[in-house]
Amino acid sequence: MKLDKSFYLNPDVVAVAKQLIGKSLHTSLNGKHSSGIIVESEAYSYKEKACHAFNNKRTKRTETMFQEGGKAYIYLCYGIHHLFNIVTNIKNKPEAVLIRAIQPIETAPKKCTSGPGNLSKYLAITTSLNGVSLTGNKIWLEEGNQLPCEVSKRIGIDYAQEDALLPWRFTAKDNQWISK
DNA sequence: TAGAGGATTGAT
DNA sequence: TCAATCCTCTAC
């Protein structure tokens, strides 16, 4: 059961990030289908410094986040890693959920989906998918059983000062696939 | 047009 | 703990 567009339009990005734990992510790219259960996510909002679109900072890169929820926002980090985000909220309210780890449904080598960079590599996600709709047939999410989750502060955003302390990271409890 | 830095990773 | 690595943004 593919997630409806209304799910992504939720104005509470933190709630969306939490609800995403346990749902499944699917890609059908280059004739190959990949999928996994989302076990780790982080919320980002224009209201706080860690977000690229903080204070409505609109650039070519962040443009996708200003679009209506239900789109894929993918960007390159450290010149190496493709990071996959789910855009939420309505148009001109840039908020997104970073998917940090999934648990593969098919058999897969361990650790290959732990961390946003590896995750994107496993799913064949590249920046060419930036702006692609999540209700289409290239990349989409499906309904799943909500997993018990734990809350913690986000990772790798120390530059955001006090906002780095926000408990906006969600992980599936006792799951071996989450990043360290 | 040049310089600085980053939502990371994997090896030391 | 630290360096690799290159795209993006900002300042001049």
Side-chain angles (χ1 to χ4, degrees):
Chain A
M1 182 65 178
K2 204 175 280 193
L3 283 182
D4 190 75
K5 191 174 179 180
S6 61
F7 174 82
Y8 304 105
L9 298 179
N10 189 333
D12 186 350
V13 66
V14 180
V16 174
K18 185 175 181 180
Q19 289 169 33
L20 281 175
I21 301 296
K23 292 194 170 19
S24 60
L25 173 64
H26 301 252
T27 60
S28 184
L29 304 164
N30 307 321
K32 213 173 84 182
H33 179 257
S34 304
S35 57
I37 310 287
I38 297 172
V39 293
E40 184 173 352
S41 67
E42 285 181 10
Y44 286 88
S45 165
Y46 61 95
K47 297 168 190 164
E48 44 90 23
K49 298 189 190 74
C51 183
H52 292 160
F54 167 63
N55 208 13
N56 285 314
K57 191 173 72 170
R58 191 166 187 154
T59 68
K60 193 178 172 187
R61 184 175 66 160
T62 62
E63 184 66 25
T64 307
M65 258 203 272
F66 284 81
Q67 294 184 32
E68 195 173 59
K71 296 264 175 30
Y73 169 49
I74 297 146
Y75 82 100
L76 200 57
C77 182
Y78 295 99
I80 306 170
H81 309 289
H82 297 272
L83 270 57
F84 171 62
N85 299 252
I86 293 169
V87 179
T88 67
N89 215 330
I90 59 176
K91 202 171 181 179
N92 294 323
K93 294 280 183 189
E95 292 187 329
V97 178
L98 169 68
I99 305 303
R100 292 187 56 88
I102 62 170
Q103 176 179 331
I105 292 174
E106 299 94 354
T107 46
K110 243 181 181 177
K111 298 286 177 192
C112 75
T113 60
S114 172
N118 294 332
L119 162 74
S120 301
K121 194 176 168 188
Y122 172 75
L123 292 176
I125 290 173
T126 67
T127 51
S128 65
L129 291 171
N130 189 33
V132 169
S133 171
L134 296 174
T135 52
N137 55 15
K138 281 185 181 168
I139 180 165
W140 69 94
L141 276 77
E142 291 190 12
E143 194 55 67
N145 298 321
Q146 172 87 53
L147 296 172
C149 55
E150 294 182 327
V151 183
S152 58
K153 73 184 181 67
R154 292 171 296 174
I155 292 174
I157 54 166
D158 292 341
Y159 64 90
Q161 298 165 20
E162 74 273 14
D163 286 331
L165 302 174
L166 289 170
W168 283 10
R169 172 173 177 242
F170 298 93
T171 52
K173 198 168 167 36
D174 300 325
N175 191 288
Q176 59 179 322
W177 295 92
I178 63 177
S179 58
K180 59 180 179 183

